[in-house]
Amino acid sequence: MKNLKMSIAAMLLLTLSFANGQEKEKMNHDHATMKMDHSKMMNMNNDAKAEVILTDYLSLKEALVADNTKKAAEAGSKLVASFKAFDRTAYTGEEQMELIEIIADATEHAEHIVKSELDHQREHFKVLSKDMTDMVAITGTDKKLYEQFCPMYDGGTAWLSMNEDIKNPYYGSKMLTCGKVQKEIN
Amino acid sequence: MKAVKIIAIVLLVAFVGIQFMPVERNQSDGVPKTDFMLVNDVPSDIKNKLQVSCYDCHSNNTQYPWYNKVQPVAWFLEGHIKEGKAELNFNEWDSLSSRRKASKLRSIIKQIESGEMPMDSYTLIHKEAAFSEAEKQELIQWVERLKDSI
């Protein structure tokens, strides 16, 4: 009888672990088809869709400054959507190639931010910030931006902000004012 | 006691039954030209470690010892492989842009450092897939160097 009970217990456990595995499986990676258009060569200085991306990035930054995982995740999913809506046809062939790579990378980081804990969100935000800086270098922006730098986080890490005052998204309340402005954009 | 017996029999029948459900096996012939090992100069001990500890879920070829063919373990594994390959597929390494390669290498380092990968549920059975502290350091240093060279 004891053996029988043990085997029942074992089977129940197996069933449970299986159910758990299935649940975690849900993840949708959407690879949009990429088309390029070399005919249009005009480079706009105010790209409204790039501005939306930047705004979403900045609200993500605010959420991280406030140590707010949930808000960061919300901003992350907005960002995924605004990357998807981005229209690169107005840029040159070379710029488009670059933008495709930047957005592919940045989208992945934004997706991870949606489903991660705070410390992981910050790890992804680091690389996302690099992507955003490179994107802005191509698209330009009508916003006045400050590239800020914290020497302590992960061997030195930068981010973008609209305020000159330092509010550190990597440490939040733990070390809110760690960092300095290293560059002004516009 | 009779009820227990009946439940046991039902479960047993179910357990045997699910063995016949089809599973998609993660296996393919040959290694594509874009494979991580083919495009990078990987020392043999690192190569071996990656193959044993990572490739089961992060490539198009999974080694299937007998226990991986038993349900519901096989389903469980299938889910992880799908998720793992979506995240990183070593076989398709060279199709990534430099920017994404650097991102992936960074994530690999973080995951190994924090012990999130290889997953506990995986190393529980695949003892040989677990990293010793020394192996961990060696691997991280090597991946760091690769990342810096990109």
Side-chain angles (χ1 to χ4, degrees), chain A residues 2-3 5 28-29 31 66 77 106-107 160 173 183-184:
Chain A
K2 205 177 174 191
N3 273 341
K5 272 187 195 159
N28 217 348
H29 280 253
H31 294 280
S77 51
T107 302
L160 297 174
S173 57
K183 206 175 136 193
E184 286 181 29

Side-chain angles (χ1 to χ4, degrees), chain A residues 11-44:
Chain A
M11 273 183 260
L12 273 175
L13 263 177
L14 280 169
T15 319
L16 280 176
S17 69
F18 160 67
N20 185 29
Q22 289 290 51
E23 230 170 76
K24 285 185 189 160
E25 207 181 301
K26 307 240 181 316
M27 242 181 37
N28 217 348
H29 280 253
D30 193 350
H31 294 280
T33 45
M34 290 162 177
K35 270 187 193 159
M36 291 211 300
D37 186 355
H38 292 272
S39 59
K40 293 178 197 165
M41 296 283 279
M42 58 169 193
N43 195 348
M44 294 184 297

Side-chain angles (χ1 to χ4, degrees), chain A residues 56-76 113 118 121-122 125 168-169 172-173:
Chain A
D56 291 341
Y57 165 85
L58 291 167
S59 61
L60 169 58
K61 186 214 61 168
E62 292 304 325
L64 293 176
V65 166
D67 303 315
N68 193 329
T69 305
K70 196 166 162 277
K71 277 219 171 111
E74 284 166 15
I113 285 169
L118 190 58
Q121 289 180 324
R122 286 175 165 148
F125 184 72
N168 192 317
S173 57

Side-chain angles (χ1 to χ4, degrees), chain B residues 54-113:
Chain B
C54 314
Y55 267 56
D56 269 358
C57 293
H58 294 288
S59 83
N60 298 330
N61 266 304
T62 306
Q63 302 294 321
Y64 286 99
W66 68 269
Y67 48 81
N68 281 354
K69 291 181 184 157
V70 178
Q71 296 292 20
V73 175
W75 276 329
F76 180 69
L77 194 71
E78 196 185 351
H80 278 295
I81 292 169
K82 233 181 231 168
E83 204 174 315
K85 280 166 73 175
E87 206 61 58
L88 167 69
N89 186 339
F90 279 110
N91 284 154
E92 293 167 5
W93 180 254
D94 212 32
S95 62
L96 298 174
S97 67
S98 306
R99 183 180 292 271
R100 292 187 79 199
K101 281 178 186 161
S103 268
K104 296 288 178 195
L105 291 173
R106 186 188 302 277
S107 298
I108 290 171
I109 293 167
K110 296 278 180 212
Q111 295 278 311
I112 296 174
E113 241 170 19

Side-chain angles (χ1 to χ4, degrees), chain A residues 1 4 8 11 14 17-18 24-25 98 101-102 104-105 108-109 112 120 123 126-127 131 134 154, chain B residues 1 4-5 8 11-12 15 72-73 75-76 79 82-83 86-87 97 99-100 103-104 106 110 116:
Chain A
M1 212 62 241
L4 187 57
I8 294 169
M11 273 183 260
L14 280 169
S17 69
F18 160 67
K24 285 185 189 160
E25 207 181 301
E98 184 95 32
E101 290 176 6
I102 291 171
D105 192 65
E108 210 175 334
H109 289 295
H112 276 96
H120 274 317
E123 278 173 17
K126 170 177 178 150
V127 193
D131 290 335
D134 295 344
D154 195 24
Chain B
M1 230 52 241
V4 176
K5 242 183 197 165
L11 282 176
L12 190 68
F15 181 70
V73 175
W75 276 329
F76 180 69
K82 233 181 231 168
E83 204 174 315
E87 206 61 58
S97 67
R99 183 180 292 271
R100 292 187 79 199
S103 268
K104 296 288 178 195
R106 186 188 302 277
K110 296 278 180 212
E116 279 167 85

